[in-house]
């Protein structure tokens, strides 16, 4: 690659191109302070000169990113660490991000208020200012080939060999993780708190391009190396951040979103054991959430419950829900797990629907009177721990923790438990046999693994974890009805969304399904303005992601190599650090 | 059938094993024994039923008739129970867990010799840590034995072909077998790698593990094996030492084809030749 000529897509002198990126970045920052439109009808109030509002904040942040990366590319002392890969891709990507969010805002203003006349001069300035870094970035020289596609790809490519970093001291590594956690929490909180769809779209544009830029710059690789050194510290920080979330909220509505994301994420993590580790495609998984929820509702003491006199304490109800799901999982698993691949998927799909239809009919008329049929079991009482009623708002250290925030904190504990179960099970004899079964069932049985038994354990464990999450979800939503427990629908959780969360986030990882669940919950919640087209948009997004990143957003090392066979070197950390070229041969078997 | 040179206890005893797929009889009433500490070769032309017989031995197929016993006890026809009993195998086309590391592959092989279940994994008591450590040590010993200890953290898929073969053997050895079945261990190898495999098989035998191998590389089989059995069209044709088998006409026939039954004798051939020579010459004169 070294002897190929380099040429830019847009012919400009190198100095001019670099200057253009920097100047454009600064101009974008400045333009965010101008008035973009004359009326406050467009949400976020972009009319004030001197103070950014709504989407302008996003333009401002994107502009800052462009400027910082441009300064780093200039070799400004102290900023060199931002681009360890020494490439132009971070500049290109942040520039596109800034351009994207600014132009998206301008176009939304014009579209919603009816015409370009609604733009103030500030809006035009912003549009031009954000275009400059894009022009500048594409005027930077990159290896030139015959094909235009390859030329474009070169601009967003991540180099394969990133110079090895100087080792950081342990406390500095922890400081980096802490800062990253705080930034992560801030970004996540901002995303949940976005008040209107436009802001959420702008947020997504900035986040996607910023993360992509950090990835191509090589910072993500460095960060994951640091995380690998401090696994338990990172996990602790993650949970500290999760617990901190409700304290950053003033409105309990966002805690409601938070608790739903956690329930969804916990169930997705349970499904990840079945799909990601053991490789069993389960299309009816949401039924186990339903079993847990219905069990908890039946023993909750609700007056509409068939057993209204029975009122279990929460620990007993949680155990009962998990146990009921486990039994249900074994009952479904025992006959079906002898099937492989597609057949298993079809049968689980069927069983998932059977659960919903059965629950729908157990109303005393078409079947035994257990679940009240389509009416479900309403008025499930709130949980009460030693006099601490989760249904009421409490003041803790000056913060008001509302009803949903209480449940949110309970769910954080349950998710911590599920993460613990997942990581411990995955890294053990049983976890290895799950992966072996997924890789090659015949070889695994020839190694002495009882395939059926091991798969049944995965199935039952996944079911029990979903059931556990279901017991909380019954109390959070006050009532349980059969409708959410279907195969596919426009709102999570349903089996299709659960599977999508696992695949989209990254199969076989801990963070992947949780991130996938957060995204899949927020998208329909925030993009209500898309209405009936939201499923279409969601489908297109999923197809694009699977086309360009089949291993999911957070890639498991195994998966990544599975999907990108060429040129991927698998060299353990130690050999890379010593710079010794490891003997890597493509296996022809 | 030739006599055995040494009388020892049989590790593996297959009696009257028959395998039918519908109307096709792939293996027909084969009796077969492997004694402790023996290297036995199983050869035969393509399609002779060698791999089918292997699969019957390891429980992947349930034989239509006959029994397979290991150290005197009849094996249940379940692959995982066969491995547990003490028979490990490799596959003709390598079947490693491609996306697991070298060490993890060997650890999976330890499955039958460890018993830590889900609860123990979740609770992580001292017993769990001890067992994991012991497993890892044992796996590392095996990796050292085959010379792959430096690549423990590489993914199996990224190993060169010859090393993948070796790793598959190490994975099989991890189950602490009394008998190792190797299905074409040198397929696709160059002469050096084949020689290295030969040494490896001897080293495995020296550990007290009996070896049964299917192989097409005749030099490899005859060098290595104490005894060779020939399978032709599902039936055992000959069994004996390398010399006996190599000299057997039926074996040569099976590989190269039977001589034609109305084969003309030498005298007749000479006669025909002479006659032909005569006709051509007369033809030549006539022209």
């Amino acid at each position: 690659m070294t002897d190929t000529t380099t040429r830019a897509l847009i012919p400009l002198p190198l100095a001019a191109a670099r200057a253009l990126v920097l100047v454009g970045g600064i101009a974008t920052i400045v333009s965010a302070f101008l008035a973009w439109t004359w009326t406050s009808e467009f949400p976020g109030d972009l009319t004030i000169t001197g103070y950014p509002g709504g989407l302008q904040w996003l333009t401002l942040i994107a502009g800052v990113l462009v400027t910082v990366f441009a300064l780093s590319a200039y070799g400004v002392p102290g900023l060199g660490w931002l681009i360890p890969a020494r490439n132009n891709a971070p500049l290109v990507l942040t520039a596109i991000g800034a351009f994207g969010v600014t132009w998206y805002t301008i176009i939304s203003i014009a579209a919603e208020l009816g015409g370009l006349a609604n733009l103030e001069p500030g809006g035009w300035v912003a549009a031009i200012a954000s275009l400059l870094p894009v022009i500048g970035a594409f005027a930077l020289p990159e290896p030139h080939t015959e094909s235009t596609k390859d030329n474009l790809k070169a601009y967003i490519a991540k180099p394969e060999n990133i110079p090895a970093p100087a080792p950081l001291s342990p406390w500095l590594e922890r400081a980096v993780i802490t800062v990253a956690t705080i930034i992560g929490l801030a970004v996540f909180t901002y995303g949940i708190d976005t008040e209107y769809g436009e802001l959420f779209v702008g947020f997504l544009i900035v986040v996607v391009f910023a993360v992509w830029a950090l990835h191509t710059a090589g910072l993500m690789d460095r960060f994951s190396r640091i995380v690998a050194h401090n696994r338990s510290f990172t996990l602790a920080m993650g949970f500290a951040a999760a617990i901190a979330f409700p304290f950053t909220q003033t409105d309990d509505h966002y805690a409601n979103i938070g608790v739903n994301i956690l329930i969804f994420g916990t169930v997705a993590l349970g499904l990840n054991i079945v799909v990601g580790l053991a490789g069993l495609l389960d299309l009816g998984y949401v039924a186990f959430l339903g079993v847990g929820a219905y069990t908890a509702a039946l023993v909750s003491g609700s007056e509409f419950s068939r057993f209204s006199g029975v009122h279990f304490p929460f620990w007993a109800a949680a155990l009962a829900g998990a146990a009921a799901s486990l039994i249900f999982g074994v009952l479904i698993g025992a006959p079906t797990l002898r099937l492989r691949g597609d057949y298993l998927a079809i049968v689980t799909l069927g069983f998932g629907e059977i659960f919903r239809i059965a629950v729908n009919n157990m109303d005393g008329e078409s079947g035994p009177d257990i679940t009240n049929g389509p009416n479900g079991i309403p008025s499930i009482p709130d949980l009460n721990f030693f006099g601490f009623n989760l249904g009421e708002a409490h003041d803790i250290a000056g913060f008001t923790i509302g009803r949903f925030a209480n449940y949110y904190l309970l769910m954080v504990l349950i998710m911590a438990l599920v993460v613990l179960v997942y990581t411990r099970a995955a890294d053990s004899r049983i976890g290895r046999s799950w992966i072996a079964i997924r890789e090659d069932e015949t070889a695994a049985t020839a190694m002495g693994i009882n395939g059926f038994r091991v798969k049944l354990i995965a199935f039952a464990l996944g079911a029990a974890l979903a059931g556990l999450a279901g017991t909380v979800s019954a109390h959070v939503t006050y009532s349980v009805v059969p409708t959410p427990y279907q195969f596919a629908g426009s709102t999570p959780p349903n089996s299709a969304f659960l599977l999508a969360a696992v695949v989209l986030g990254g199969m076989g990882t801990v963070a992947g399904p949780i991130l996938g669940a957060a995204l899949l919950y927020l998208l329909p919640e925030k993009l209500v303005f898309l209405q009936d087209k939201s499923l279409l948009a969601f489908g297109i997004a999923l197809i694009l992601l699977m086309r360009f990143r089949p291993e999911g957003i957070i890639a498991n090392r195994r998966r990544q190599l599975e999907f990108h066979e060429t040129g991927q070197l698998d060299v353990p950390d130690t050999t890379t650090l010593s710079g010794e070229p490891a003997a890597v041969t493509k296996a022809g078997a | 059938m030739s006599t055995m040179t040494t009388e020892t206890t049989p590790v593996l005893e297959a009696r009257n094993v028959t395998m039918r797929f519908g109307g096709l009889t792939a293996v027909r009433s084969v009796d077969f024994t492997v004694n402790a500490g023996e290297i036995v070769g199983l050869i035969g032309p393509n399609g002779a039923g060698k791999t089918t017989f292997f699969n019957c031995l390891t429980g992947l197929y349930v034989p239509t008739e006959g029994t397979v016993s290991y150290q005197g006890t009849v094996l249940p026809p379940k692959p995982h129970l066969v491995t547990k009993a003490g028979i490990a195998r490799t596959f003709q086309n390598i079947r490693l867990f491609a996306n697991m590391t070298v060490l993890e592959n060997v650890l999976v092989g330890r499955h039958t010799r460890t018993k830590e279940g889900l609860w123990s994994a979740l609770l992580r008591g001292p017993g769990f840590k001890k067992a994991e450590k012991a497993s890892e040590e044992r796996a590392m010993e095996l990796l050292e034995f085959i010379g792959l200890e430096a690549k423990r953290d590489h993914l199996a898929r990224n190993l060169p072909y010859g090393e993948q073969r070796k790793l598959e053997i190490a994975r099989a050895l991890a189950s602490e077998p009394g008998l190792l079945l190797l299905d074409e261990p040198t397929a696709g190898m160059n002469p050096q790698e084949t020689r290295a495999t030969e040494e490896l098989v001897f080293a495995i035998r020296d550990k007290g593990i009996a070896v049964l191998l299917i192989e097409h590389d005749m030099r490899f089989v005859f060098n290595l094996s104490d005894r060779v059995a020939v399978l032709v069209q599902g039936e055992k044709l000959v069994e004996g030492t390398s010399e006996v088998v190599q000299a057997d006409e039926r074996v040569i026939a099976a590989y190269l084809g039977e001589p034609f039954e109305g084969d003309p004798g030498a005298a007749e051939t000479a006669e025909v030749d002479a006659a032909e020579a005569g006709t051509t010459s007369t033809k030549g004169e006539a022209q």
Side-chain angles (χ1 to χ4, degrees):
Chain A
M1 286 294 274
T2 43
D3 55 344
T4 43
T5 51
T6 58
R7 201 194 295 173
L9 277 180
I10 301 168
L12 270 182
L14 178 60
R18 283 186 159 185
L20 202 57
V21 177
L22 183 59
V23 170
I26 295 168
T28 309
I29 298 174
V30 172
S31 74
F33 289 87
L34 301 174
W36 288 9
T37 176
W38 60 277
T39 165
S40 57
E41 256 175 61
F42 187 79
D45 195 4
L46 313 182
T47 61
I48 304 163
T49 303
Y51 188 80
L55 281 154
Q56 287 175 327
W57 275 110
L58 292 170
T59 297
L60 175 71
I61 289 164
V64 168
L65 285 174
V66 175
T67 312
V68 172
F69 275 118
L71 287 173
S72 172
Y74 259 112
V76 172
L79 289 179
W81 60 272
L82 271 171
I83 315 181
R86 302 265 155 272
N87 56 347
N88 295 326
L91 290 182
V92 177
L93 289 167
T94 46
I96 295 175
F99 168 79
V101 68
T102 311
W103 280 57
Y104 167 75
T105 312
I106 303 290
I107 291 168
S108 308
I109 292 172
E112 277 173 43
L113 302 181
L116 291 169
N118 293 299
L119 289 177
E120 288 281 306
W124 294 105
V125 172
I128 293 162
S130 65
L131 188 59
L132 295 180
V134 179
I135 297 172
F138 278 106
L140 294 166
E142 284 289 345
H144 186 80
T145 55
E146 284 305 304
S147 103
T148 324
K149 196 177 149 199
D150 287 350
N151 286 344
L152 276 175
K153 263 191 189 165
Y155 276 96
I156 52 169
K158 179 178 162 232
E160 278 187 14
N161 297 315
I162 296 169
L168 292 176
S169 60
W171 66 267
L172 201 59
E173 287 194 337
R174 293 186 171 198
V176 169
I177 293 172
T178 312
V179 171
T181 314
I182 292 169
I183 294 175
L185 177 65
V187 170
F188 193 70
T189 310
Y190 185 91
I192 287 188
D193 290 2
T194 49
E195 279 160 7
Y196 40 99
E198 293 87 344
L199 193 60
F200 187 71
V201 173
F203 164 78
L204 276 189
I205 294 174
V206 174
V207 168
V208 166
F209 280 98
V211 170
W212 195 356
L214 293 177
H215 171 72
T216 53
L219 282 177
M220 288 296 184
D221 287 5
R222 294 209 165 168
F223 184 67
S224 49
R225 188 164 292 175
I226 292 175
V227 167
H229 291 169
N230 303 281
R231 222 158 245 301
S232 40
F233 181 75
T234 313
L235 220 56
M237 284 310 290
F239 279 107
I243 289 171
F245 168 75
F247 294 93
T248 64
Q249 301 300 314
T250 46
D251 188 343
D252 209 31
H253 170 63
Y254 296 124
N256 183 17
I257 296 179
V259 68
N260 280 312
I261 288 177
L262 281 188
I263 290 170
F264 188 28
T266 307
V267 182
L269 205 53
L271 179 62
N272 198 19
I273 293 178
V274 181
V275 177
L277 290 182
L280 308 166
L281 187 52
D282 187 347
L283 294 180
Y285 193 68
V286 81
F288 300 125
L289 179 72
V291 172
Y294 265 98
T295 311
L298 284 173
V299 299
S300 66
S302 158
E303 54 185 308
F304 296 96
S305 155
R306 179 78 174 76
F307 316 105
S308 54
V310 183
H311 189 173
F312 279 23
F314 177 68
W315 63 266
L319 279 183
S325 277
L326 186 133
I327 291 166
F328 200 67
V330 171
L331 283 182
I332 290 179
T336 55
L337 286 174
R338 297 175 197 279
L339 301 171
R340 288 190 190 188
D342 310 352
Y343 305 104
L344 178 69
I346 294 165
V347 173
T348 51
L349 172 66
F351 270 109
E353 288 297 285
I354 286 172
F355 167 77
R356 183 174 59 85
I357 295 164
V359 162
N360 221 341
N361 285 305
M362 289 201 266
D363 57 356
E365 284 169 33
S366 350
D369 181 15
I370 298 175
T371 61
N372 281 346
N375 295 327
I377 303 170
S379 42
I380 298 168
D382 276 307
L383 292 174
N384 200 326
F385 291 126
F386 308 111
F388 185 93
N389 189 342
L390 267 65
E392 291 162 8
H394 296 269
D395 284 326
I396 300 174
F399 295 97
T400 305
I401 297 299
R403 174 178 186 270
F404 289 117
N406 290 330
Y407 282 108
Y408 174 90
L409 291 174
L410 174 65
M411 247 351 264
V412 168
L413 288 183
I414 288 181
M415 175 164 265
L417 179 74
V418 173
V419 168
L420 192 76
V421 166
Y422 180 90
T423 49
R424 287 195 161 182
D427 177 30
S428 72
R429 173 173 171 268
I430 190 96
R432 282 192 297 268
S433 53
W434 285 333
I435 299 169
I437 288 275
R438 192 193 71 201
E439 293 279 314
D440 187 335
E441 193 166 340
T442 307
T445 48
M447 286 304 110
I449 294 170
N450 184 345
F452 175 69
R453 183 189 149 86
V454 164
K455 286 195 281 186
L456 193 61
I457 292 176
F459 213 70
L461 179 64
L465 296 180
L468 185 61
T471 55
V472 180
S473 99
H475 288 275
V476 171
T477 53
Y478 299 108
S479 66
V480 287
V481 284
T483 37
Y485 307 110
Q486 54 191 352
F487 169 64
S490 55
T491 49
N494 54 61
S495 293
F497 265 58
L498 279 169
L499 195 63
V502 174
V503 176
L504 181 108
M507 268 195 253
T509 61
V510 175
I514 300 173
L515 181 69
L519 266 178
L520 287 186
Y521 190 84
L522 285 177
L523 282 174
E525 178 85 19
K526 296 293 180 185
L527 302 182
V528 276
F529 67 92
L530 284 173
Q531 291 160 359
D532 51 344
K533 290 178 210 72
S534 73
L535 264 183
L536 176 71
F538 166 64
I540 291 172
L542 210 59
I543 290 170
L544 287 179
L545 192 90
M546 286 299 104
R547 166 64 185 79
F548 294 105
R549 204 171 162 80
E551 67 272 34
I553 299 170
I554 295 175
N556 180 314
R557 192 171 49 101
R558 295 182 214 283
R559 291 267 159 189
Q560 192 153 30
L561 286 153
E562 205 170 313
F563 285 112
H564 304 274
E565 265 190 85
T566 48
Q568 289 273 357
L569 304 187
D570 162 54
V571 188
D573 272 6
T574 43
T575 36
T576 336
L577 287 173
S578 62
E580 168 201 329
V584 178
T585 322
K586 248 192 282 176
Chain B
M1 305 294 144
S2 76
T3 51
M4 282 166 235
T5 44
T6 47
E7 280 299 330
T8 37
T9 48
V11 185
L12 177 86
E13 199 168 13
R15 276 223 192 111
N16 193 29
V17 170
T18 301
M19 185 73 214
R20 282 193 205 95
F21 297 103
L24 176 82
T25 309
V27 176
R28 195 189 306 268
S29 42
V30 173
D31 289 310
F32 191 75
T33 51
V34 178
N35 296 319
E38 229 182 354
I39 300 178
V40 181
L42 183 64
I43 61 171
N46 285 328
K50 301 184 297 292
T51 299
T52 307
F53 182 59
F54 246 46
N55 287 343
C56 289
L57 294 184
T58 53
L60 276 179
Y61 292 158
V62 184
T64 323
E65 282 166 33
T67 54
V68 180
S69 41
Y70 175 77
Q71 287 179 343
T73 38
V74 175
L75 290 172
K78 285 260 169 33
H80 64 96
L81 295 179
V82 170
T83 311
K84 196 170 180 189
I87 299 181
R89 71 171 292 177
T90 65
F91 291 88
Q92 188 174 349
N93 41 349
I94 302 175
R95 297 188 86 147
L96 286 170
F97 306 120
N99 294 307
M100 296 176 93
T101 66
V102 167
L103 179 66
E104 282 171 334
N105 264 281
V106 183
L107 285 176
V108 170
R110 298 275 314 152
H111 191 88
T112 51
R113 302 296 165 234
T114 44
K115 54 181 188 296
E116 278 62 41
L118 181 64
W119 286 115
S120 141
L122 296 185
L123 300 174
R124 297 269 149 131
F128 176 84
K129 281 175 192 146
K130 216 167 118 189
E132 283 284 290
K133 198 161 165 268
S135 273
E136 198 180 314
E137 274 169 15
R138 183 84 188 89
M140 282 313 290
E141 275 171 29
L142 283 168
L143 286 180
E144 272 163 39
F145 176 66
I146 58 158
L148 279 180
E149 73 272 21
K151 293 196 171 178
R152 55 174 276 175
D153 292 327
H154 287 241
L155 291 194
R157 66 184 310 137
N158 289 349
L159 293 185
Y161 184 78
E163 291 183 355
Q164 293 199 355
R165 283 260 178 228
K166 278 190 192 168
L167 177 57
E168 217 190 3
I169 292 174
R171 185 181 68 176
L173 287 177
S175 67
E176 293 171 11
L179 172 68
L180 180 64
L181 308 185
L182 302 175
D183 198 345
E184 298 201 23
T186 69
M189 281 190 174
N190 64 30
Q192 285 89 341
E193 286 173 325
T194 306
R195 214 163 305 133
T197 310
E198 213 172 283
E199 275 158 32
L200 183 62
V201 174
F202 278 129
I204 290 169
R205 197 257 304 267
D206 291 345
K207 281 170 168 255
I209 299 168
V211 179
L212 169 61
L213 46 94
I214 293 180
E215 191 48 73
H216 277 303
D217 185 331
M218 290 303 152
R219 193 189 297 170
F220 179 78
V221 180
F222 290 129
N223 272 350
L224 214 53
S225 308
D226 301 321
R227 236 164 4 106
V228 177
V230 187
L231 213 59
V232 175
Q233 289 182 351
E235 283 178 274
K236 193 168 78 175
L237 198 64
V238 194
E239 187 179 346
T241 58
S242 300
E243 294 76 34
V244 172
V245 171
Q246 268 170 305
D248 196 295
E249 274 180 14
R250 288 170 298 172
V251 178
I252 300 166
Y255 273 92
L256 300 178
E258 295 269 355
F260 178 47
E261 259 189 35
D263 185 23
E268 280 177 298
T269 320
E271 213 171 283
V272 172
D273 280 351
E276 276 183 350
T279 48
T280 44
S281 61
T282 38
K283 267 181 194 167
E285 272 166 25
Q287 278 174 349

